[in-house]
């Protein structure tokens, strides 16, 4: 007979060995591209009969956006529209986070795309945007009483607030809290929970205790500050009150709040998560702080909340694909493993942006900028450069095509234009639906931004065979290469001199324009970008860069193992063992067999049958060795 201590030690030995072998199996799956059965068991893909195989016809992707597609114009929206319109073999669900429900939709979705709209403001009830039956909403409100809030919601809420305000971030902890909150709001009411007296008292207590310690570097808040910061949490996390669709891959357009649905899908459904970064979201928020006029407390609170969300995206994304190499330095700084980073440059339509020979010559030397009227585009510098260029080339014209994003900034630009007597020289032409024609009206294309990622305006100009003068920000230098002139940001004198050089030398303009188009054709076509994104979807969804064909014996193995997992989940260990053994027999050479054997060992451990657990672990070792040898052979 074994003593209790002997049994306990033996149990721990088997348990440690079980997990060690389990992780060895997962490593082999990763290194040798084995197809783990768990990826099949949790798949929601539709299969159709194809001879002796079952084949997936279409990939389902949830594309998440924030303040962009399909409700606003801009580079990110252009990128989204390319993906959705051109990848016709993919079924998209657009999960669009918008400021309010009254925003006008700017893009018409194609037939392969549906949409979930999530307005953060402009609604009285957080469930107004949902199709949830009134009876369910009413029931949730009815059952969300003080006792439920204090016992179920408040512990999660407390962890959430502590994670947001802490300078050191724990993204896995935050992900777990958000996942549990998402489950909570499937049953209980969002508004009654967040706006409860208990939530206010806990929030106030945590913040005041934290700010009393000077080492935490968070200023003392006013009552208004407390209300405002809690209001931000309430509004931004309405995402947690929105049910998720079942898809094969999620794709977030930023490491921002729009990445939270992707995080939830990964934690809830094990859905692979692709993150694209156009700009660096956290950096952009830092740059915009000075314009907001918030108190010190609100500035710090907001940045720490955004830092938490960005870190969460980076930690849980399976693939991080910035649109330029420049962004990778930020991602690595925030802990993204280099192996997860795969740069995919933006691309443009080479036919749409071709240089047509029948364009009439400009009556005046002309500089064109395609940019929205926004402080980050730094049109003030371009206006100041224009007055310098005009002194040298009196008949020069500057034309800016773009909508007004920040009215106050537009007024500032108009005032400076008037002060410098440039009303006839510097023209705001408004938004254009024909960007190629806009570029063709210029001799030189200018970009004066103080921050960018990989701007479409640069590669579109290059594809139109136009030389570019641009500021050295983001991935601009990567795009331009040696086919234009790069200048310092916020330097009107240097910008003006570069423009004068090109405007006075038509041969240089022509040579740089031809080189620019050649470079764009080699690196920045929409076809190249679409191919890389489709390959990424296929790789994440199936483990290979082409649609996965699953033999019928693996299909049977999948079904049997699903039964085993379901039985194990409710504690029916012996029945689970039986189903796992049938699953192994269905495809004995499958790379999923080691995983199934470890599940059988786990079941025996739970039954207290340690000898049988040990036998199964021995089989795992042998099977792993067999699979590895076959791979090498």
């Amino acid at each position: 007979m074994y003593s209790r201590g002997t049994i306990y030690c033996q149990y721990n030995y088997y348990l440690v060995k079980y997990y060690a072998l389990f992780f060895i199996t997962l490593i082999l799956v990763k290194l040798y591209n084995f197809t783990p059965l768990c990826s099949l068991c949790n798949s929601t893909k539709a299969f159709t009969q194809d001879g002796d195989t079952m084949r997936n016809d279409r990939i389902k992707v949830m594309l998440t956006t924030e303040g962009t597609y399909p409700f606003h114009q801009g580079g990110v929206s252009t990128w989204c529209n390319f993906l959705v319109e051109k990848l016709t073999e993919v079924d998209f669900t657009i999960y669009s986070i918008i400021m309010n429900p009254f925003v006008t939709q700017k893009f018409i979705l194609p037939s392969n795309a549906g949409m979930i709209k999530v307005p953060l403001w402009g609604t009285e009830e957080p469930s107004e945007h949902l199709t949830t039956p009134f009876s369910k909403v009413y029931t949730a409100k009815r059952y969300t009483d003080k006792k439920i809030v204090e016992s179920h919601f408040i512990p999660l809420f407390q962890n959430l607030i502590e994670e947001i305000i802490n300078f050191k971030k724990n993204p896995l902890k935050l992900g777990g809290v958000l996942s549990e909150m998402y489950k909570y709001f499937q049953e209980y009411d969002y508004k009654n929970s967040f706006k409860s007296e208990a939530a206010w008292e806990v929030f106030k207590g945590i913040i005041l205790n934290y700010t009393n310690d000077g080492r935490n570097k968070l200023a003392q808040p006013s009552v208004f500050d407390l209300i405002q910061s809690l209001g931000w949490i309430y509004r931004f996390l309405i995402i947690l009150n929105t049910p998720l669709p079942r898809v094969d891959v999620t794709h977030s357009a930023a490491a921002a709040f729009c990445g939270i649905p992707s995080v939830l899908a990964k934690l809830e459904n094990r859905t692979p998560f692709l993150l694209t970064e156009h700009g660096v979201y956290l950096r952009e928020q830092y740059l915009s702080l000075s314009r907001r006029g918030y108190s010190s407390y609100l500035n710090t609170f907001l940045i720490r909340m955004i830092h938490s969300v960005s870190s969460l995206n980076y930690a849980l994304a399976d693939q991080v694909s910035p649109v330029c190499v420049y962004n990778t330095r930020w991602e690595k700084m925030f802990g993204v493993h280099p192996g997860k980073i795969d740069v995919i440059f933006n691309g443009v339509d080479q036919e749409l942006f071709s240089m047509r020979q029948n364009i009439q010559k400009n009556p005046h030397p002309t500089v064109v900028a395609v940019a929205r009227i926004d402080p980050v585009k730094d049109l003030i510098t371009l206006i100041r450069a224009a007055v310098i260029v005009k002194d040298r080339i009196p008949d020069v014209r500057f034309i800016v095509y773009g909508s007004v994003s920040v009215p106050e900034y537009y007024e500032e630009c108009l005032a400076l234009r008037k002060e410098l007597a440039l009303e006839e020289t510097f023209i705001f032409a408004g938004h254009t639906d024909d960007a190629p024609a806009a570029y063709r009206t210029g001799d030189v294309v200018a970009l004066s931004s103080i921050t960018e990622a990989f701007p479409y305006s640069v590669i579109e100009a290059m594809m139109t065979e136009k030389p570019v003068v641009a500021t050295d920000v983001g991935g601009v230098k990567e795009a331009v290469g040696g086919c234009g002139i790069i200048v310092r940001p916020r330097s009107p004198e240097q910008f003006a001199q570069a423009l004068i050089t090109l405007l006075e030398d038509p041969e240089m303009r022509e040579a740089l324009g031809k080189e620019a188009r050649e470079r764009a054709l080699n690196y920045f076509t929409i076809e190249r970008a679409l191919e890389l994104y489709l390959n990424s979807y296929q790789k994440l969804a199936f483990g290979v860069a082409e649609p996965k064909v699953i033999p019928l014996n693996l299909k049977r193995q999948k079904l049997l193992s699903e039964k085993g997992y379901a039985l194990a989940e409710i504690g029916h260990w012996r029945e689970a063992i039986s189903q796992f053994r049938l699953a192994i027999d269905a495809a004995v050479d499958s790379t999923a067999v080691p995983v199934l054997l470890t599940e059988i060992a786990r079941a025996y451990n739970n039954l207290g049958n340690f000898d049988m657990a040990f036998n199964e672990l021995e089989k795992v070792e042998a099977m792993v060795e067999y699979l590895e040898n076959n791979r090498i052979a």
Side-chain angles (χ1 to χ4, degrees):
M1 295 291 292
Y2 294 109
S3 68
R4 178 178 294 181
T6 302
I7 293 174
Y8 180 76
C9 292
Q10 190 179 37
Y11 171 81
N12 279 327
Y13 168 76
Y14 293 144
L15 193 63
V16 170
K17 189 166 185 178
Y18 157 72
Y19 280 113
L21 285 169
F22 183 79
F23 285 115
I24 288 170
T25 304
L26 293 183
I27 290 169
L28 284 170
V29 166
K30 185 72 174 177
L31 290 177
Y32 297 118
N33 291 322
F34 293 151
T35 303
L37 191 67
C38 56
S39 69
L40 302 179
C41 296
N42 291 285
S43 172
T44 60
K45 304 168 184 62
F47 292 88
T48 57
Q49 190 72 34
D50 181 20
D52 292 331
T53 64
M54 301 296 287
R55 189 179 183 91
N56 182 339
D57 287 330
R58 301 178 67 80
I59 300 175
K60 296 179 179 64
V61 174
M62 178 174 71
L63 178 62
T64 64
T65 66
E66 182 177 322
T68 55
Y69 185 80
F71 293 95
H72 297 276
Q73 303 283 352
V76 175
S77 294
T78 299
W79 170 83
C80 290
N81 197 49
F82 274 139
L83 281 181
V84 175
E85 282 197 341
K86 301 293 185 181
L87 291 181
T88 55
E89 58 269 75
V90 176
D91 288 330
F92 285 95
T93 298
I94 311 302
Y95 188 113
S96 182
I97 299 172
I98 52 180
M99 286 298 292
N100 63 70
F102 313 110
V103 181
T104 303
Q105 188 170 328
K106 298 294 194 302
F107 293 85
I108 298 174
L109 299 183
S111 60
N112 63 318
M115 182 163 59
I116 298 171
K117 292 189 292 186
V118 184
L120 301 183
W121 274 266
T123 57
E124 184 65 27
E125 289 290 334
S127 58
E128 284 182 28
H129 66 288
L130 303 176
T131 57
T132 308
F134 173 77
S135 59
K136 187 174 181 180
V137 175
Y138 174 78
T139 301
K141 284 185 175 294
R142 181 182 174 189
Y143 285 115
T144 310
D145 56 21
K146 182 178 179 181
K147 183 178 179 181
I148 287 293
V149 169
E150 291 179 351
S151 61
H152 291 64
F153 177 72
I154 292 301
L156 296 173
F157 180 71
Q158 182 173 346
N159 286 332
L160 172 69
I161 302 307
E162 289 172 350
E163 181 57 31
I164 286 174
I165 61 177
N166 279 334
F167 184 77
K168 291 184 178 180
K169 300 303 177 184
N170 185 342
L172 297 183
K173 177 184 175 183
L174 177 60
V177 170
L178 294 179
S179 178
E180 290 303 313
M181 279 189 157
Y182 173 75
K183 294 173 186 174
Y184 171 87
F185 291 128
Q186 289 178 331
E187 188 171 354
Y188 300 108
D189 186 67
Y190 186 91
K191 184 177 180 180
N192 286 0
S193 300
F194 265 110
K195 295 199 172 184
S196 64
E197 183 178 349
W200 167 251
E201 291 299 329
V202 166
F203 180 74
K204 183 173 62 173
I206 292 173
I207 296 297
L208 293 179
N209 285 336
Y210 192 82
T211 56
N212 283 335
D213 188 340
R215 293 172 298 178
N216 293 325
K217 297 182 180 179
L218 184 63
Q220 286 282 344
S222 65
V223 174
F224 170 81
D225 288 341
L226 287 171
I227 295 171
Q228 177 79 343
S229 52
L230 181 56
W232 281 338
I233 296 172
Y234 174 82
R235 288 295 176 181
F236 284 126
L237 294 188
I238 282 176
I239 297 162
L240 301 178
N241 198 46
T242 305
L244 295 168
R246 292 298 294 259
V247 294
D248 302 320
V249 178
T250 67
H251 188 176
S252 178
F257 291 94
C258 61
I260 291 178
S262 294
V263 168
L264 294 174
K266 179 168 183 178
L267 295 175
E268 293 297 307
N269 306 321
R270 302 183 191 178
T271 308
F273 173 16
L274 169 61
L275 171 62
T276 289
E277 281 215 288
H278 297 268
V280 179
Y281 186 76
L282 181 59
R283 176 176 179 269
E284 291 172 349
Q285 300 307 311
Y286 270 116
L287 289 173
S288 66
L289 272 183
S290 60
R291 304 197 307 269
R292 291 176 173 165
Y294 294 145
S295 67
S296 174
Y297 163 82
L298 287 176
N299 275 336
T300 304
F301 184 92
L302 182 60
I303 282 297
R304 289 189 184 179
M305 179 165 63
I306 292 169
H307 186 184
S308 296
V309 172
S310 291
S311 298
L312 177 68
N313 278 265
Y314 292 140
L316 289 177
D318 295 283
Q319 177 179 322
V320 179
S321 287
V323 297
C324 57
V325 176
Y326 173 84
N327 284 0
T328 64
R329 69 185 73 181
W330 284 83
E331 291 153 356
K332 291 173 184 176
M333 184 174 70
F334 284 108
V336 180
H337 191 279
K340 287 186 8 178
I341 299 174
D342 187 4
V343 176
I344 301 178
F345 291 117
N346 286 337
V348 297
D349 189 327
Q350 58 181 301
E351 294 302 321
L352 182 63
F353 288 92
S354 63
M355 179 58 191
R356 298 175 184 171
Q357 300 302 317
N358 59 352
I359 297 298
Q360 188 175 358
K361 186 177 179 180
N362 288 325
H364 306 281
T366 304
V367 177
V368 164
V370 177
R372 68 183 185 274
I373 316 303
D374 187 292
V376 300
K377 301 302 180 182
D378 195 17
L379 297 175
I380 292 294
T381 288
L382 191 59
I383 294 171
R384 294 191 183 280
V387 75
I388 299 172
V389 176
K390 185 182 178 183
D391 286 343
R392 180 73 170 264
I393 308 173
D395 62 339
V396 71
R397 294 290 184 271
F398 285 72
I399 305 175
V400 176
Y401 295 93
S403 57
V404 177
S405 177
V406 181
E408 299 82 0
Y409 185 71
Y410 181 50
E411 293 300 321
E412 184 182 347
C413 291
L414 293 178
L416 180 62
R417 182 181 70 168
K418 183 177 181 180
E419 177 188 334
L420 299 177
L422 294 175
E423 288 94 334
E424 301 299 321
T425 300
F426 201 101
I427 300 162
F428 289 99
H431 172 73
T432 177
D433 290 322
D434 191 352
Y439 292 116
R440 294 184 193 112
T441 62
D443 298 297
V444 178
V445 174
L447 180 136
S448 54
S449 301
I450 57 173
T451 179
E452 286 286 356
F454 197 79
Y456 272 100
S457 59
V458 168
I459 56 176
E460 287 172 350
M462 292 169 65
M463 194 66 82
T464 320
E465 212 168 292
K466 295 294 181 180
V468 175
V469 175
T471 47
D472 188 6
V473 293
V476 170
K477 188 181 290 185
E478 296 171 48
V480 173
C483 307
I485 301 177
I486 302 296
V487 299
R488 291 192 310 273
R490 292 188 170 126
S491 177
E493 296 80 10
Q494 192 177 24
F495 210 117
Q497 188 54 55
L499 291 171
I500 290 169
T501 298
L502 289 176
L503 290 172
E504 291 186 335
D505 191 337
E507 291 183 1
M508 179 185 287
R509 288 203 309 271
E510 183 178 359
L512 287 178
K514 290 183 182 298
E515 291 175 14
R517 179 165 171 82
E518 187 65 28
R519 178 174 174 79
L521 287 171
N522 287 334
Y523 298 106
F524 311 130
T525 63
I526 187 62
E527 291 80 12
R528 177 183 173 88
L530 291 172
E531 180 184 1
L532 292 173
Y533 280 115
L534 182 58
N535 285 344
S536 294
Y537 291 158
Q538 292 169 339
K539 180 181 68 176
L540 290 170
F542 308 116
V544 292
E546 61 185 43
K548 182 75 174 178
V549 179
I550 302 180
L552 287 176
N553 62 336
L554 291 184
K555 175 70 173 176
R556 174 170 167 75
Q557 189 174 70
K558 169 185 178 293
L559 294 173
L560 290 167
S561 62
E562 283 179 334
K563 292 180 181 179
Y565 283 119
L567 289 165
E569 191 171 358
I570 59 176
H572 292 188
W573 299 110
R574 294 191 185 282
E575 294 84 350
I577 290 170
S578 176
Q579 293 300 317
F580 286 135
R581 291 205 186 282
L582 290 172
I584 291 171
D585 291 339
V588 292
D589 291 329
S590 163
T591 54
V593 169
V595 178
L596 293 170
L597 289 170
T598 54
E599 291 298 336
I600 293 173
R602 183 169 72 95
Y604 278 127
N605 264 330
N606 280 280
L607 290 169
N609 194 335
F610 304 123
D611 288 334
M612 290 299 294
F614 179 81
N615 289 338
E616 298 303 320
L617 292 176
E618 293 289 336
K619 293 178 186 177
V620 172
E621 289 181 310
M623 191 65 187
V624 167
E625 184 177 355
Y626 167 77
L627 291 171
E628 188 172 6
N629 289 338
N630 272 13
R631 171 69 184 182
I632 294 171

